[in-house]
C-alpha cells in the first residue's frame, strides 16, 4: 500500500510534463544566439587589436590611418606594402576572421535552434492553435537570421582572404582636395588608360587589381560551395517529403517549404557567382567603377 501511494503519478498524454515543446535546449540555444549576436558586434575589434601593433581607437582613426598609408604606398612606386599600410591590412584581416568565426558559430546555433523549433511544431498536434502558431512564427524568425548569418560568413571570408581590396571601400573616394584626392585621381587615370601601347601600370595599381580579383574569386568559390550545399539540402528535403506518408500533411508542408527556400537560395547564389566571374576575369573596369563611386 505504501509503495502504491509513493509511486509517481502517471504522465497522461496531454499533461504538462508530456506536452510537445522546444524545451530547455531551445531556450539555452536562444540565449547563446543572443550572446553571439552581441559578440559579433563588440568582440571583433577587440580581438583584431590583440596583437602587439594594436588596433584603432574608432572607425575615423582607422580611415585616417588608411588614407595616409594609401598615399604613402602609391608614392613609393613599389609592389610591397609599406609598414604603415601593412599594419592596417593585417588588422582588417584579423577583424574579418573574428567576424567570420563568430558568424559561423552563430549560424550553427541558429540552425540547431531552428531544427528544435520545427520539430516541436511537427509534434504540436495536441497543443492549441495559438501555441502552434507561436512555434511556427518563432521558427520563421529563427530561419531568417540563419540565412543572414550565412551571407555574413561569406562576406567576411572575402574580407579575411583579400583584406586590401576590402579596405578600399573605406577610402573616401569622393575626396575633393589633399594628397588622398590626388592619389585617387591618379588611380582612376591608371585604371582608365588601356593596358599596353606604351602604358606601364604602376606596381601599386597592379597589386590593387590583383587583390580585387582575389576578392571576387573568393566570393565565386565560397558562393559556389554554398549554392551546391543548398542544392543538396533541397534535394534531401524534397526526397524526405516524397517519402512522408500522406496522412502527415504538416510534415510534408514543412519539408517542402524548406526545400523551396533552399532551392531559391541556391539559385540566388549561383546568380551571384556568375555575376562575379566577370570581375575575376577582368577586374580593372569594376575597380574603376568602384573608384568612380559605382560600388
Amino acid at each position: 500500500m505504501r509503495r502504491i501511494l509513493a509511486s509517481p503519478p502517471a504522465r497522461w498524454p496531454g499533461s504538462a510534463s508530456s506536452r510537445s515543446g522546444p524545451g530547455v535546449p531551445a531556450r539555452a540555444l536562444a540565449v547563446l544566439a543572443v550572446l553571439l549576436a552581441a559578440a559579433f558586434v563588440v568582440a571583433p575589434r577587440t580581438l583584431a587589436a590583440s596583437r602587439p601593433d594594436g588596433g584603432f581607437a574608432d572607425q575615423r582613426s582607422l580611415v585616417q590611418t588608411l588614407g595616409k598609408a594609401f598615399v604613402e604606398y602609391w608614392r613609393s612606386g613599389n609592389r610591397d606594402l609599406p609598414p604603415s599600410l601593412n599594419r592596417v591590412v593585417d588588422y582588417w584581416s584579423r577583424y574579418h576572421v573574428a567576424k567570420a568565426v563568430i558568424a559561423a558559430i552563430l549560424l550553427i546555433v541558429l540552425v540547431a535552434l531552428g531544427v528544435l523549433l520545427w520539430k516541436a511544431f511537427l509534434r504540436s498536434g495536441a497543443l492549441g492553435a495559438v501555441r502552434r502558431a507561436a512555434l511556427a512564427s518563432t521558427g520563421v524568425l529563427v530561419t531568417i537570421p540563419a540565412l543572414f548569418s550565412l551571407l555574413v560568413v561569406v562576406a567576411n571570408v572575402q574580407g579575411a582572404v583579400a583584406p586590401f581590396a576590402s579596405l578600399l571601400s573605406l577610402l573616401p573616394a569622393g575626396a575633393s582636395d589633399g594628397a588622398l584626392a590626388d592619389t585617387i585621381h591618379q588611380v582612376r587615370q591608371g585604371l582608365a588608360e588601356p593596358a599596353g601601347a606604351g602604358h606601364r601600370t604602376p606596381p601599386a595599381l597592379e597589386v590593387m587589381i590583383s587583390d580585387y580579383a582575389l576578392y571576387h574569386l573568393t566570393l565565386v568559390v565560397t558562393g559556389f560551395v554554398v549554392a551546391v550545399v543548398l542544392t543538396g539540402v533541397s534535394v534531401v528535403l524534397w526526397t524526405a517529403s516524397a517519402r512522408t506518408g500522406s496522412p502527415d500533411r504538416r510534415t510534408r508542408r514543412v519539408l517542402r517549404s524548406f526545400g523551396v527556400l533552399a532551392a531559391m537560395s541556391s539559385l540566388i547564389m549561383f546568380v551571384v557567382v556568375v555575376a562575379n566571374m566577370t570581375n575575376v576575369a577582368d577586374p580593372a573596369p569594376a575597380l574603376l567603377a568602384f573608384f568612380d563611386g559605382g560600388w
Side-chain angles (χ1 to χ4, degrees):
M1 185 67 178
R2 290 181 179 178
R3 290 181 180 180
I4 295 175
L5 294 174
S7 61
R11 294 184 177 180
W12 298 101
S15 64
S17 58
S18 64
R19 289 177 181 175
S20 298
V24 176
R27 289 193 288 270
L29 287 173
V31 172
L32 181 57
V34 172
L35 294 176
L36 286 169
F40 179 81
V41 176
V42 177
R45 183 171 296 176
T46 302
L47 293 173
S50 60
R51 292 290 184 87
D53 53 2
F56 301 89
D58 49 32
Q59 184 78 359
R60 181 179 180 182
S61 174
L62 172 62
V63 172
Q64 289 178 344
T65 304
L66 171 63
K68 295 177 182 178
F70 184 76
V71 172
E72 178 186 353
Y73 178 48
W74 181 260
R75 291 177 175 177
S76 69
N78 298 321
R79 289 182 58 88
D80 297 335
L81 303 183
S84 57
L85 184 56
N86 198 53
R87 171 176 173 255
V88 182
V89 171
D90 286 346
Y91 168 84
W92 200 239
S93 177
R94 297 193 301 269
Y95 177 80
H96 280 291
V97 167
K99 296 195 79 170
V101 170
I102 296 173
I105 298 174
L106 177 59
L107 173 61
I108 294 172
V109 170
L110 289 174
V111 169
L113 177 58
V115 169
L116 288 178
L117 289 171
W118 285 110
K119 282 185 175 181
F121 172 74
L122 295 177
R123 297 192 305 265
S124 62
L127 301 179
V130 175
R131 183 71 183 276
R132 291 198 302 269
L135 283 172
S137 300
T138 306
V140 172
L141 291 176
V142 170
T143 302
I144 293 173
L147 289 174
F148 179 73
S149 296
L150 177 60
L151 297 177
V152 170
V153 171
V154 172
N156 281 281
V157 168
Q158 275 187 283
V161 174
F164 186 28
S166 177
L167 272 171
L168 295 179
S169 62
L170 297 182
L171 288 173
S176 58
D177 58 350
L180 180 58
D182 293 339
T183 299
I184 293 177
H185 177 68
Q186 293 173 25
V187 171
R188 289 197 189 102
Q189 285 184 323
L191 290 169
E193 293 177 1
H199 170 64
R200 178 179 175 273
T201 303
L205 187 56
E206 290 179 350
V207 173
M208 277 186 270
I209 294 174
S210 175
D211 209 59
Y212 192 76
L214 176 61
Y215 183 80
H216 287 279
L217 177 61
T218 304
L219 180 56
V220 168
V221 174
T222 55
F224 180 78
V225 171
V226 169
V228 170
V229 171
L230 288 173
T231 301
V233 169
S234 178
V235 171
V236 170
L237 291 173
W238 276 98
T239 303
S241 172
R243 293 178 177 175
T244 302
S246 56
D248 197 356
R249 289 179 295 177
R250 182 183 301 168
T251 300
R252 295 181 69 181
R253 284 198 299 266
V254 170
L255 291 174
R256 288 179 179 180
S257 298
F258 277 97
V260 170
L261 178 62
M264 292 179 61
S265 300
S266 67
L267 179 60
I268 293 173
M269 289 305 301
F270 276 124
V271 171
V272 172
V273 166
V274 173
N276 278 270
M277 289 177 67
T278 304
N279 293 334
V280 175
D282 190 15
L287 185 57
L288 176 60
F290 157 71
F291 277 106
D292 285 338
W295 181 44

